[in-house]
Amino acid sequence: MDESLNLVLFSGTDDKLQAAAVLTAGAAALGRPVNIFLQYWALDAFRATKIGGDHGLAPEAGAAGRVAVDALARAGQATWAETLRQAKSLGGVDIEACSLSMDLLRLGTLDLDPLVDGVEGVTAFYLNAGDGQIVFI
Amino acid sequence: MTEIAPITTRTVDARGSFCPGPLMELIRAIRESQVGDVIAVYSSDSGSRTDIPKWVEKAGHRLVELVARDGYDEIVVEKRR
């Protein structure tokens, strides 16, 4: 089961990033390579100055969803950034920023949290993904 | 011949950690251990009750036992490779 998992992260809300982090950790635990490509608002959430902050939830969460997510956080759920750090410590997880989104958000590599390994274009992402499945979140 | 009950080498208390936290902590402990070491994971996460035994089988280790304690599970794993 060495087929890669390739995640395109577009949304920058904490719930979607949490879901992506859990998928990443599970794949990494099984030894599957994981390539993550950060676009738009997901990339914005990986700014060094923002990664520890509150990035809100997807609209469908509603007020009840907010309460549920907050309760799990208070109960000690690791943040998505921490889960990604754990996944990266297992090895095989590569996180790249989309170069176009870097331009859009006027970011340089020094603006990004060290979780991000580098900046690449979409073609490089596809080449890294090979024949593996691609999931857009 | 009776199998000698393995002695726990290391205990990982992952209670309060949510999926996939207990598995992450078990993997770290296994990497730091020697073949033959026995690791007990305490987990209060219900998903880990199914995930950890499946991972153990996939990774080629041995599930020694999974015991429901008061409010948590004790999952005991022997490192085999």
Side-chain angles (χ1 to χ4, degrees):
Chain A
M1 195 155 154
D2 294 318
E3 188 185 329
S4 64
L5 171 66
N6 306 284
L7 300 178
V8 179
L9 304 188
F10 174 90
S11 297
T13 54
D14 286 322
D15 47 357
K16 293 199 176 192
L17 291 168
Q18 183 71 259
V22 170
L23 289 172
T24 299
L30 293 172
R32 290 177 65 178
V34 184
N35 298 303
I36 298 178
F37 194 53
L38 303 173
Q39 296 186 310
Y40 285 79
W41 323 123
L43 176 60
D44 192 63
F46 279 79
R47 288 178 193 249
T49 54
K50 281 184 144 183
I51 194 163
D54 179 358
H55 307 93
L57 300 176
E60 63 259 45
R66 177 82 255 177
V67 170
V69 167
D70 287 347
L72 210 57
R74 273 198 307 277
Q77 184 187 31
T79 64
W80 55 263
E82 180 56 30
T83 300
L84 284 177
R85 270 182 215 105
Q86 288 182 347
K88 287 192 80 166
S89 74
L90 299 180
V93 177
D94 185 63
I95 303 179
E96 298 287 336
C98 164
S99 57
L100 179 60
S101 294
M102 292 290 285
D103 293 341
L104 171 84
L105 298 169
R106 298 175 184 277
L107 295 175
T109 50
L110 293 176
D111 295 320
L112 300 174
D113 185 89
L115 272 174
V116 183
D117 295 291
V119 178
E120 68 182 18
V122 68
T123 306
F125 171 72
Y126 276 121
L127 287 171
N128 290 337
D131 294 328
Q133 64 189 136
I134 295 176
V135 179
F136 186 90
I137 300 175
Chain B
M1 279 277 290
T2 53
E3 192 173 355
I4 299 164
I7 296 161
T8 299
T9 321
R10 178 170 173 175
T11 299
V12 176
D13 189 350
R15 286 175 292 182
S17 181
F18 292 88
C19 178
L23 175 57
M24 298 286 108
E25 295 192 38
L26 170 63
I27 292 174
R28 191 180 313 135
I30 281 191
R31 288 189 172 182
E32 292 167 2
S33 300
Q34 310 293 320
V35 171
D37 283 359
V38 176
I39 298 149
V41 184
Y42 297 166
S43 167
S44 52
D45 168 62
S46 60
S48 299
R49 190 181 302 153
T50 51
D51 277 27
I52 287 180
K54 282 183 185 290
W55 178 84
V56 166
E57 184 185 353
K58 167 78 184 164
H61 303 298
R62 182 169 80 93
L63 182 69
V64 177
E65 60 179 353
L66 193 164
V67 186
R69 303 284 185 201
D70 185 19
Y72 68 96
D73 297 313
E74 179 175 348
I75 306 166
V76 183
V77 178
E78 180 187 357
K79 175 167 175 160
R80 295 294 288 268
R81 49 180 284 275

